[in-house]
Amino acid sequence: MTVAVHWFRNGLRLHDNPALIEAHNNAEKLITLFIFDETTFNPKWYGYNPMRFLLESLIDLNNNLALVGGRLYILQGNPVNIFKMIKEKIGLHFITYEQDCAHLGRTRDEKVKSFCDENDIKCIETVSHTLWNPKSIIEKNGGVPPFTFKQFQNTAKQIGHPPSPVGNVDWLSVIFEELPASIQDEFKNLHNPTPETFGIYPEVPENLTSTYRWYGGETRALEQLKERLEYEKEAFVNGFYLPNQVNPDLLSPPSSLSAALRYGCLSIRKFYWELTKLFINKFEGDLLPMYSVTSQLIWRDYFYTMSIDNKNFGQIEDNPACISIPWNDIKIPENKKMLECWKTGKTGYPFIDAGMRQLMQEGWIHHVVRNSLASFLTRGDLWISWVEGLNHFMKYLLDADFSVCSGNWIWVSSSTFEQLLDCPLCVCPVSYGLRLDPSGEYIKRYVPELKNMPAQFLYEPWKCPESVQKQVGCIIGKDYPNCIVDHTIASKGNRKKMLALRVSMTNENRVPHCCPSDREEVQKFMYLPDECMQQLLPLENQDSKAYDIYKSH
């Protein structure tokens, strides 16, 4: 009898899984497995929260397979060696899996494809982690990825709507094949693994009692989808889109599905089409506006397309998606110390510190807070490379995906050398935070040292009189750190660096790079008020001549 292996990687779900359907349709027996492989997995790359979410997703997938008579084998080792042993012990005719857009994953997959070619095994790769096939976007765009989101949108429109979700597998007709004990032993099959299985432990005690606990798995993701659709429906009724970006809520349980999408516990195409149907039913229209919630999903595809053929997408050197910037050298002790203060939430700026501590406690931060943290580290204050921020986020964010996370960091940092993002107020760690959390409750939740600080000093505790500091039990410089940098001075200096860079971009040395499409896109992405946008053009008089030179090129 013919045997197919469906190899779960990112698409950790049974619904809308075309590769799983291919396995069932092409073979008489089915094996389902997940592999912690040596190419794409290293416990040192994972923080406690992301690892727990991943393992919960695998356990949930195994439970759902058990309901239809199957099981998920969670193996450890080289995929080629695993498939080779399956072929020898059982026979193997088909291997199916979902497309991986990351370079490490694609390198691994090429080795599997070569093995299949050499052993008369049919390898079937399907596209379901993205709305469109990134390769099709690139081909339609003349063989190169679109460098702006608007350009991506225009290219995608030429291709047409994303495919609709596929139906479910007919589980009554599936015959599951068991893996022999010899294979399970050889590749250390895991039963109900936890982060501790891999030597990963909570980074801070608060992990055990965090305000919000994220749960991985398809079951919870589909429940969250229903909740999110109700949330979006209410927003549609009230006449606006992106409800949690129009009015960011930093304190309530998050409505984000980003972690479920990252691991494929929820199909991106199901999410997209459910939202589309919701809009059509409500407004009798056939397309969602550009800045509806589906725009956020399309941003995700944009970054996947930028990365799929770019092995250097997560670095500065030889990366065509970004500009090479002379960031501060973190080998210098002072810069290294500032980076460490940013990572641990000890910058002396309460809003920044609250965001960084939430990351370590819960593994998630609201999109608009992430922008503030990224700006502070890079162009706003510390002038430290976005790569340092990327590496930290990749380890601790639940939804950290190489393509999307890299793309966001490139856009917020490197592309901010575009004049469109050159407003000194946009990235102020005080005023930006006040707009998002005027009551200061977000700060009090994650920076408990300041919980008794009077409201007027909560965002600028260094201005609090010493007598009041003693009264509330928080001495600045002792119980809570002094500011590691003066934002006013640092932001002015960094703005001059940006200007110098723009002026240097003549026709001879200006390079294409990931950048904003226009002012509206910047305002939506960064959650900026009109007064910030009004400061962008014209620039200050002393900058206008230099900007004219830049603009002419």
Side-chain angles (χ1 to χ4, degrees):
M1 299 182 77
T2 54
V3 176
V5 166
H6 176 66
W7 179 16
F8 284 99
R9 292 105 66 85
N10 283 331
L12 303 181
R13 64 180 183 272
L14 300 185
H15 75 274
D16 187 32
N17 196 324
L20 180 60
I21 289 178
E22 287 286 346
H24 170 245
N25 290 344
N26 283 282
E28 295 162 288
K29 289 188 174 183
L30 176 65
I31 299 170
T32 51
L33 54 79
F34 178 92
I35 303 171
F36 284 106
D37 71 272
E38 55 200 27
T39 303
T40 61
F41 175 76
N42 184 328
K44 294 180 180 179
W45 300 344
Y46 282 79
Y48 185 83
N49 285 309
M51 193 63 189
R52 180 174 62 181
F53 191 94
L54 169 59
L55 295 177
E56 287 176 348
S57 300
L58 294 176
I59 293 169
D60 180 73
L61 181 57
N62 180 57
N63 293 340
N64 289 338
L65 283 167
L67 293 176
V68 293
R71 66 176 293 187
L72 179 70
Y73 296 97
I74 305 174
L75 307 180
Q76 304 173 78
N78 185 309
V80 170
N81 293 341
I82 291 172
F83 296 139
K84 182 179 180 181
M85 195 167 182
I86 291 175
K87 178 177 172 57
E88 292 172 353
K89 298 288 185 179
I90 302 174
L92 181 57
H93 306 88
F94 298 90
I95 298 175
T96 68
Y97 53 80
E98 181 182 73
Q99 180 193 65
D100 193 327
C101 296
H103 175 68
L104 282 178
R106 294 182 67 76
T107 300
R108 170 204 60 202
D109 293 349
E110 287 303 318
K111 294 177 182 178
V112 171
K113 289 176 183 177
S114 296
F115 166 76
C116 289
D117 290 341
E118 295 166 2
N119 290 273
D120 196 27
I121 298 170
K122 187 172 181 181
C123 185
I124 302 175
E125 178 185 85
T126 65
V127 177
S128 55
H129 194 61
T130 52
L131 292 170
W132 294 274
N133 186 342
K135 292 285 190 178
S136 299
I137 295 286
I138 292 172
E139 181 181 355
K140 194 70 174 178
N141 196 54
V144 294
F147 276 107
T148 67
F149 179 61
K150 184 168 287 186
Q151 186 182 0
F152 177 90
Q153 283 186 310
N154 291 336
T155 305
K157 285 178 182 177
Q158 295 177 42
I159 294 175
H161 288 299
S164 298
V166 298
N168 294 326
V169 171
D170 176 14
W171 293 109
L172 293 177
S173 64
V174 174
I175 301 174
F176 286 97
E177 178 68 49
E178 289 191 16
L179 281 185
S182 58
I183 297 179
Q184 296 187 48
D185 293 341
E186 177 72 20
F187 297 104
K188 301 174 183 177
N189 185 35
L190 298 171
H191 302 276
N192 296 322
T194 65
E196 289 81 359
T197 304
F198 295 88
I200 301 172
Y201 299 90
E203 291 80 17
V204 289
E206 287 83 354
N207 271 88
L208 304 177
T209 57
S210 294
T211 303
Y212 184 77
R213 165 74 157 87
W214 293 79
Y215 291 91
E218 178 181 18
T219 302
R220 178 60 184 138
L222 291 174
E223 292 172 354
Q224 287 180 300
L225 176 61
K226 292 180 181 179
E227 296 166 4
R228 178 63 180 268
L229 292 174
E230 286 300 316
Y231 184 54
E232 297 296 334
K233 182 179 180 180
E234 183 179 346
F236 288 164
V237 169
N238 292 326
F240 62 92
Y241 317 103
L242 294 176
N244 205 21
Q245 191 160 326
V246 173
N247 298 298
D249 184 351
L250 306 185
L251 298 171
S252 299
S255 63
S256 174
L257 291 164
S258 58
L261 292 171
R262 182 260 178 269
Y263 290 104
C265 302
L266 174 66
S267 158
I268 183 71
R269 301 188 303 191
K270 180 176 178 62
F271 191 13
Y272 177 92
W273 282 109
E274 289 291 339
L275 284 166
T276 301
K277 286 188 291 184
L278 181 66
F279 183 85
I280 292 172
N281 292 340
K282 185 64 188 174
F283 296 102
E284 299 182 354
D286 61 351
L287 287 175
L288 286 159
M290 179 183 296
Y291 287 113
S292 69
V293 69
T294 57
S295 172
Q296 293 177 307
L297 305 184
I298 296 170
W299 269 102
R300 181 176 175 275
D301 262 49
Y302 165 54
F303 290 136
Y304 280 124
T305 303
M306 292 291 293
S307 72
I308 194 166
D309 288 333
N310 182 359
K311 66 179 182 180
N312 299 320
F313 197 56
Q315 64 188 50
I316 295 174
E317 295 77 18
D318 301 317
N319 182 358
C322 77
I323 303 170
S324 181
I325 305 303
W327 300 106
N328 287 338
D329 186 356
I330 61 165
K331 293 179 182 178
I332 296 174
E334 181 182 1
N335 296 331
K336 184 177 182 179
K337 182 179 179 181
M338 287 191 174
L339 174 61
E340 192 61 27
C341 288
W342 178 82
K343 288 181 177 180
T344 55
K346 296 180 180 180
T347 67
Y349 286 95
F351 185 73
I352 299 299
D353 294 342
M356 295 306 295
R357 296 185 193 187
Q358 183 187 16
L359 170 63
M360 297 302 289
Q361 289 181 33
E362 299 174 13
W364 191 85
I365 332 167
H366 194 289
H367 172 76
V368 291
V369 178
R370 298 183 198 195
N371 289 339
S372 181
L373 302 178
S375 296
F376 185 87
L377 178 69
T378 57
R379 64 187 173 92
D381 292 81
L382 303 186
W383 200 260
I384 290 175
S385 171
W386 60 270
V387 176
E388 299 297 332
L390 168 65
N391 292 338
H392 190 71
F393 274 27
M394 282 296 295
K395 182 168 184 175
Y396 295 109
L397 268 179
L398 292 169
D399 57 14
D401 173 285
F402 172 75
S403 300
V404 178
C405 201
S406 298
N408 273 294
W409 274 98
I410 291 171
W411 197 97
V412 173
S413 61
S414 288
S415 67
T416 55
F417 294 91
E418 300 293 326
Q419 195 272 340
L420 284 171
L421 279 169
D422 204 8
C423 171
L425 296 182
C426 298
V427 293
C428 175
V430 175
S431 61
Y432 192 85
L434 272 168
R435 287 184 54 242
L436 293 169
D437 178 38
S439 69
E441 290 302 314
Y442 179 70
I443 289 175
K444 292 178 182 179
R445 176 180 293 179
Y446 295 104
V447 189
E449 307 97 296
L450 300 173
K451 63 183 179 182
N452 296 321
M453 185 67 67
Q456 65 266 37
F457 301 119
L458 197 55
Y459 276 88
E460 300 174 289
W462 57 89
K463 291 184 177 180
C464 182
E466 187 174 346
S467 59
V468 177
Q469 293 181 34
K470 291 180 179 179
Q471 183 180 347
V472 300
C474 182
I475 305 300
I476 304 306
K478 178 184 175 183
D479 302 303
Y480 181 73
N482 286 309
C483 297
I484 61 173
V485 66
D486 185 318
H487 171 72
T488 302
I489 296 173
S491 61
K492 286 181 178 179
N494 291 350
R495 196 178 188 207
K496 289 180 180 179
K497 294 176 185 177
M498 293 184 232
L499 175 63
L501 179 67
R502 289 200 302 272
V503 172
S504 73
M505 291 182 180
T506 63
N507 282 336
E508 287 73 32
N509 60 19
R510 179 162 171 77
V511 295
H513 58 283
C514 175
C515 60
S517 305
D518 51 39
R519 289 162 61 88
E520 183 185 11
E521 182 177 296
V522 170
Q523 187 169 16
K524 295 287 185 179
F525 192 93
M526 296 292 290
Y527 183 67
L528 303 179
D530 292 337
E531 54 266 30
C532 271
M533 302 308 294
Q534 291 166 3
Q535 292 206 20
L536 294 180
L537 287 175
L539 286 171
E540 298 171 3
N541 292 334
Q542 62 265 36
D543 291 355
S544 59
K545 183 177 180 181
Y547 180 61
D548 286 340
I549 295 173
Y550 164 76
K551 189 165 60 174
S552 67
H553 295 295

